[in-house]
Amino acid sequence: MNPEQAAAYRQFFSSLPSLVTAEDLFGILGQLQDELGCIPRAAIRDLAGRAGVSETRLFGAVTSYPDFLLAED
Amino acid sequence: MIHEMKRLTTRIGAYDPLDAAGYERLGGFRGLRQALSKAPADVIGEVADAGLQGRGGAGFAAARKWSFVAAQERHPKYLICNADEGELGTVKDRLLLEGDPWAVAEGLLITAYATGADVIIVYIRGAYREAFCLWKELAERVSAELRRPELWTAAAGRAAPELRVVRGRGLYIAGEEMALIASLAARRPVSASKPPYPAEKGLFGMPTVVHNVETVANVPLILADGAGEYRTVGTEEEPGTRLFSLSGNIRRPGVYELPIGSTTLAQLIDDLGGGTLDGRPPKAVQPGGGTSALLSAAHLNTRMSSADLRAAGSSAGTGGVIVYGADRNAVSIVDELLGYYGGESCGMCMPCRVGTLKMREIVKRLLAGDGCAADIGRLRAVGETCVKASTCGMGQSFPLPVLSALKLFPRDFESLVRVPPRTRTPDQEQSR
């Protein structure tokens, strides 16, 4: 992930509502991919924490799709 | 010479896809108005009388799904429109989504009214970018239309359902009912064994009904003109029309709408499709998408209905008719198909996870000239195991083209056997 993407991600995450439910996650991941061109590794940690689901579950979901690109921090 | 019968496709190109008024001028919303003037149970009854069956491949009776969900007390109930059209050779849903989206939306609203669904989710295949963008805009217009009192509020006596549009992310298996539900819940999109059925425990554990786009597009027709009128075309067991996506070695590929059972495969290919490119009869045809069993030229007089295609040894599936030219080798056909499905197994159940890989290995070996006679038996055995032991529709059906090819064109496989077992080198033996 380049610095630009990292900054864009920080802004994206700070604009999310404080309560995120599991219902919103697939949409948020899609939004991230469309806006940043990738899904930062940190987003899995952050979103899992905020929605109260396990990180492994979200990692498993994200890495299943060819159109989701996981980017290391 | 046969002609198309346009029921679902009659409005395509006749109005701006975002223009609700244009849709209404062409007879739109008549079905929804009719539905709202009845009790939900009567709407289900009308669809049951019409005998509407799912058009996504499994062919389950729509009204039965509806009544299961309607009987559930828990809310919110979800209605999912499966527009993750990933089956090889199938493009009919895209045509409806982009060409007559209001009819799909109207069908969804009627379904939501009948089943009591609170949330409608349209899950659109990732590659259908135009359709997704259009539906994003359409969703807002639908909620605006629903504020018109005569269209929902006063008649339905409850809040209008919320319409959400979700974009798929390029995974074939996400189009399978259970995997689709897992996908929307941000879980790994893998299939699951049933029961519990989605009607009872679906998305987020709530009652859920999942329908293919074409199924939903039929609903307004049934309500607008009644089940009797709907049944005037098609067969007794399978009323209505179907969209056939014609592709492969064909002069005029495209989507054609025909009354179910009225035409033969040969008429579809020759009269509507203009015949094969070289004019010779095709080597093989898949009548129901990439996972349906192959039919040979001897089956071309089969009528295009589920019952007739089943009797011929294949299935109506998604209506994706793929034509293979006369000079094709059956082994190269199945190699192509396995190449696609081999990469799409979700890995949840063992037969499909291992079977896709093993079958592909054997076919590659045959094509490379390293196959032995026993490989043909192995290919059949692995395929039959997958059909019997896999959890979902994909695992149960991806081997069908291979098994049918082994039956219809055994010479194609046998002629590729090069290495008699005894002359194999120790290296080849080890790599086996």
Side-chain angles (χ1 to χ4, degrees):
Chain A
M1 201 166 52
N2 59 38
E4 251 171 61
Q5 285 173 318
Y9 169 65
R10 275 195 300 279
Q11 205 192 340
F12 180 93
F13 189 72
S14 61
S15 69
L16 283 182
S18 56
L19 185 73
V20 171
T21 65
E23 212 165 320
D24 311 320
L25 286 176
F26 190 68
I28 294 176
L29 290 170
Q31 235 179 314
L32 258 178
Q33 174 66 43
D34 292 343
E35 284 177 26
L36 268 69
C38 67
I39 294 178
R41 184 69 182 79
I44 294 185
R45 201 164 45 237
D46 297 342
L47 288 171
R50 194 163 283 196
V53 303
S54 75
E55 227 178 295
T56 45
R57 164 175 159 187
L58 215 50
F59 186 86
V62 169
T63 52
S64 295
Y65 300 92
D67 295 356
F68 278 157
L69 208 70
L70 189 69
E72 289 305 321
D73 296 339
Chain B
M1 187 78 184
I2 53 153
H3 295 283
E4 273 194 275
M5 171 183 247
K6 295 194 172 191
R7 272 189 166 189
L8 298 172
T9 52
T10 176
R11 275 184 297 260
I12 288 175
Y15 73 99
D16 174 351
L18 282 171
D19 180 20
Y23 175 67
E24 202 165 0
R25 267 197 304 279
L26 295 167
F29 299 127
R30 276 196 307 135
L32 180 60
R33 281 174 216 268
Q34 281 293 329
L36 293 173
S37 70
K38 300 175 179 200
D42 296 335
V43 177
I44 298 178
E46 191 78 39
V47 173
D49 290 343
L52 177 63
Q53 290 170 12
R55 303 287 203 252
F60 194 78
R64 284 189 67 197
K65 268 192 198 175
W66 291 16
S67 55
F68 292 150
V69 173
Q72 297 283 326
E73 301 279 335
R74 294 176 302 141
H75 283 269
K77 293 179 187 175
Y78 293 93
L79 164 60
I80 300 175
C81 178
N82 185 349
D84 195 36
E85 184 176 48
E87 193 56 57
L88 288 182
T90 312
V91 288
K92 65 191 175 68
D93 294 346
R94 179 178 183 180
L95 185 76
L96 293 172
L97 288 170
E98 293 179 4
D100 196 1
W102 279 100
V104 179
E106 187 185 350
L108 286 168
L109 292 168
I110 297 171
T111 312
Y113 173 68
T115 55
D118 309 277
V119 182
I120 301 172
I121 301 175
V122 184
Y123 190 100
I124 298 179
R125 180 182 177 186
Y128 290 177
R129 204 186 152 74
E130 292 85 359
F132 174 73
C133 294
L134 183 114
W135 271 81
K136 269 299 218 200
E137 231 178 300
L138 192 85
E140 286 166 28
R141 302 206 179 188
V142 168
S143 22
E145 287 299 315
L146 289 182
R147 280 195 285 276
R148 280 163 59 186
E150 81 275 18
L151 269 194
W152 186 276
T153 342
R158 66 179 179 90
E162 182 194 342
L163 178 62
R164 294 184 201 157
V165 183
V166 175
R167 188 172 172 205
R169 295 290 162 174
L171 192 69
Y172 169 82
I173 196 67
E176 192 273 329
E177 189 173 59
M178 300 307 273
L180 174 57
I181 288 172
S183 170
L184 284 168
R187 290 181 185 279
R188 254 182 72 202
V190 294
S191 180
S193 47
K194 294 181 251 189
Y197 290 94
E200 193 186 320
K201 199 161 178 270
L203 186 57
F204 306 116
M206 303 310 284
T208 304
V209 52
V210 185
H211 271 314
N212 173 263
V213 175
E214 189 188 342
T215 318
V216 170
N218 273 285
V219 173
L221 290 175
I222 296 171
L223 270 298
D225 300 320
E229 172 63 27
Y230 184 80
R231 275 186 167 277
T232 53
V233 301
T235 65
E236 181 59 30
E237 309 84 59
E238 246 190 313
T241 57
R242 262 200 96 143
L243 300 181
F244 294 102
S245 321
L246 197 54
S247 70
N249 190 316
I250 192 90
R251 265 183 220 277
R252 289 194 296 270
V255 179
Y256 298 98
E257 183 173 5
L258 291 168
I260 296 173
S262 72
T263 33
T264 63
L265 200 47
Q267 286 174 316
L268 177 62
I269 291 170
D270 294 331
D271 291 359
L272 293 175
T276 56
L277 292 173
D278 58 9
R280 288 187 289 167
K283 162 105 176 192
V285 180
Q286 284 186 293
T291 53
S292 61
L294 296 171
L295 294 177
S296 70
H299 295 114
L300 287 177
N301 284 325
T302 309
R303 291 197 168 272
M304 298 299 286
S305 77
S306 295
D308 290 302
L309 288 168
R310 209 179 309 122
S314 190
S315 67
T318 57
V321 180
I322 308 173
V323 182
Y324 298 97
D327 42 17
R328 286 296 302 268
N329 182 298
V331 186
S332 80
I333 296 175
V334 299
D335 176 48
E336 266 170 30
L337 293 170
L338 287 172
Y340 178 69
Y341 293 106
E344 298 294 346
S345 174
C346 76
M348 199 276 294
C349 70
M350 197 276 273
C352 173
R353 182 178 66 231
V354 180
T356 43
L357 200 75
K358 284 291 161 199
M359 290 176 79
R360 205 173 163 202
E361 269 176 24
I362 296 172
V363 169
K364 285 269 178 242
R365 201 151 64 216
L366 284 169
L367 285 170
D370 292 333
C372 66
D375 276 336
I376 295 178
R378 271 190 209 115
L379 189 61
R380 185 179 294 119
V382 176
E384 283 170 353
T385 309
C386 290
V387 172
K388 283 184 196 142
S390 296
T391 306
C392 79
M394 179 204 155
Q396 290 161 11
S397 58
F398 85 85
L400 297 177
V402 185
L403 295 173
S404 58
L406 283 165
K407 202 163 121 195
L408 296 171
F409 311 106
R411 285 289 305 141
D412 287 12
F413 289 84
E414 284 156 14
S415 66
L416 286 171
V417 172
R418 296 261 186 276
V419 192
R422 278 197 202 128
T423 62
R424 265 189 257 130
T425 64
D427 278 353
Q428 283 175 332
E429 201 59 64
Q430 214 162 20
S431 71
R432 209 151 287 262

